[in-house]
Amino acid sequence: MAYNLIVASNSPVLQKLCQSIFTEETYHLHLASNLDEINHFLDSFTPEAIILEPSILDSIENALNFNNRLLTAGRVPLFLVAGTFEPLAREFLPLLRPEQVFYKPFYSDSLAEAIREAIEKNRVPDTLPEELPEIKPGQKNAAPATLPSDLRREIRLLVQQEIQTAEKELEEKIRQSLMPEIKSLFDQQEPGTSDLIHNQGRKS
């Protein structure tokens, strides 16, 4: 499964950097150079994370509108990338509440690790919805598109968690089923070999 990652920057350098550290096997990069392009992406999907240069917003009003879009989309980790000598409006940080701010120059590995940790943390919901929409007798199940975006995301994360749990249980069952065959192979070896292996296992 590849994660959707929005990189909002009009800097070709930052875009190239993100393309080099976020591989296609793990991430789908969506490059945006202005606020309209970011909103277009948010209309189509909810990303797992956003990397943003504050200059894209260029005003507190745009920052407020952007923050409202993020609230509508649900929990989306936001990372700001700012230049060392570029002014960062004081209102931006308490308004956007980014996961982290990276000031150029920075180590690309630190950005990649921060994104990975934020996505892993967000895969398991901190809280569950109190209750699902009630389905009355004779009423068809609600289509996914009709559910709120944050609820759809919570359901998707729960399904992913259940799949991971099922995979671990299946792996343990397979391992337990193979143990008698492994023991039988040891018992068929020369006399004493099985006991020697058994004793060595106890010592370890």
Side-chain angles (χ1 to χ4, degrees):
M1 172 183 174
Y3 302 111
N4 288 309
L5 178 61
I6 294 179
V7 179
S9 170
N10 49 22
S11 167
V13 175
L14 180 59
Q15 293 182 356
K16 290 292 185 183
L17 173 66
C18 290
Q19 288 175 328
S20 66
I21 62 177
F22 298 110
T23 60
E24 294 182 357
E25 293 79 8
T26 308
Y27 299 94
H28 285 319
L29 286 185
H30 305 271
L31 305 180
S33 58
N34 55 59
L35 188 56
D36 289 338
E37 292 179 354
I38 300 175
N39 289 331
H40 175 72
F41 287 139
L42 292 176
D43 287 337
S44 304
F45 60 87
T46 299
E48 272 68 36
I50 298 177
I51 299 173
L52 173 75
E53 281 197 298
S55 58
I56 290 289
L57 303 178
D58 71 37
S59 71
I60 298 301
E61 181 181 0
N62 284 339
L64 179 60
N65 292 332
F66 174 68
N67 183 64
N68 290 336
R69 289 302 308 268
L70 293 185
L71 292 177
T72 302
R75 299 179 304 169
V76 180
L78 175 67
F79 296 85
L80 298 182
V81 176
T84 304
F85 302 105
E86 293 177 2
L88 181 61
R90 291 183 302 173
E91 296 86 349
F92 272 27
L93 295 182
L95 177 61
L96 299 176
R97 290 181 297 176
E99 297 282 328
Q100 197 169 340
V101 180
F102 289 87
Y103 291 94
K104 305 173 185 177
F106 57 87
Y107 290 106
S108 59
D109 289 346
S110 62
L111 175 61
E113 181 66 15
I115 294 291
R116 185 191 64 80
E117 290 180 356
I119 291 177
E120 289 296 325
K121 177 183 176 182
N122 230 20
R123 289 182 64 184
V124 179
D126 298 327
T127 57
L128 300 178
E130 295 182 2
E131 59 182 28
L132 294 175
E134 181 181 358
I135 300 177
K136 298 179 181 180
Q139 179 182 357
K140 294 182 178 180
N141 293 341
T146 64
L147 297 176
S149 60
D150 57 342
L151 182 55
R152 293 202 308 271
R153 179 176 178 81
E154 297 292 347
I155 293 175
R156 179 163 62 88
L157 292 173
L158 284 174
V159 171
Q160 292 175 349
Q161 185 179 10
E162 289 296 328
I163 292 175
Q164 291 176 347
T165 301
E167 289 177 346
K168 291 180 180 179
E169 292 177 353
L170 179 60
E171 180 180 352
E172 179 63 20
K173 289 181 180 179
I174 293 175
R175 188 179 69 84
Q176 292 294 337
S177 66
L178 291 177
M179 287 301 296
E181 296 185 16
I182 296 175
K183 184 177 183 303
S184 176
L185 290 176
F186 284 143
D187 292 341
Q188 293 175 8
Q189 296 181 15
E190 296 180 0
T193 303
S194 177
D195 294 336
L196 176 61
I197 295 175
H198 178 69
N199 292 334
Q200 289 178 341
R202 294 178 59 185
K203 292 180 181 179
S204 61

